[in-house]
């Protein structure tokens, strides 16, 4: 299984969230944690972000069907 790491600009594009919202949700535990790539670089596993998006869609559809 490939573990592609994506950087913040791609995470923002995939989710539609701003940088501050991503970090706020990370601190609250409602967004996947970033992975340290070095002293000043972080990234996210693409699969983790995709799973988070899938969960958002599922939750949204469940609420719409109630």
């Amino acid at each position: 299984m490939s573990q592609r790491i994506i950087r913040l600009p791609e995470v923002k594009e995939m989710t539609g969230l701003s940088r501050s919202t991503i970090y706020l949700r990370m601190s609250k535990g409602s967004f996947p944690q970033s992975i340290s790539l070095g002293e000043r670089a972080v990234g996210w596993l693409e699969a983790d972000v995709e799973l988070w998006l899938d969960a958002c869609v599922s939750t949204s559809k469940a609420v719409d069907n109630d």
Side-chain angles (χ1 to χ4, degrees), residues 2 4 8-9 12-13 28 40 44-45 56-58 64:
S2 174
R4 182 170 178 256
L8 185 60
K12 288 170 50 178
E13 184 177 321
K28 292 183 175 185
R40 299 184 64 189
W44 287 259
L45 285 176
C56 288
V57 169
S58 295
D64 289 345

Side-chain angles (χ1 to χ4, degrees), residues 1-30:
M1 179 171 123
S2 174
Q3 293 191 346
R4 182 170 178 256
I5 295 177
I6 56 176
R7 300 293 303 273
L8 185 60
E10 190 169 351
V11 174
K12 288 170 50 178
E13 184 177 321
M14 286 176 68
T15 63
L17 300 175
S18 68
R19 177 194 180 281
S20 58
T21 300
I22 290 168
Y23 281 96
L24 176 65
R25 290 185 180 190
M26 277 177 43
S27 71
K28 292 183 175 185
S30 61

Side-chain angles (χ1 to χ4, degrees), residues 37-52:
L37 303 174
E39 283 187 37
R40 299 184 64 189
V42 297
W44 287 259
L45 285 176
E46 183 177 38
D48 288 350
V49 176
E50 288 174 344
L51 286 172
W52 179 84

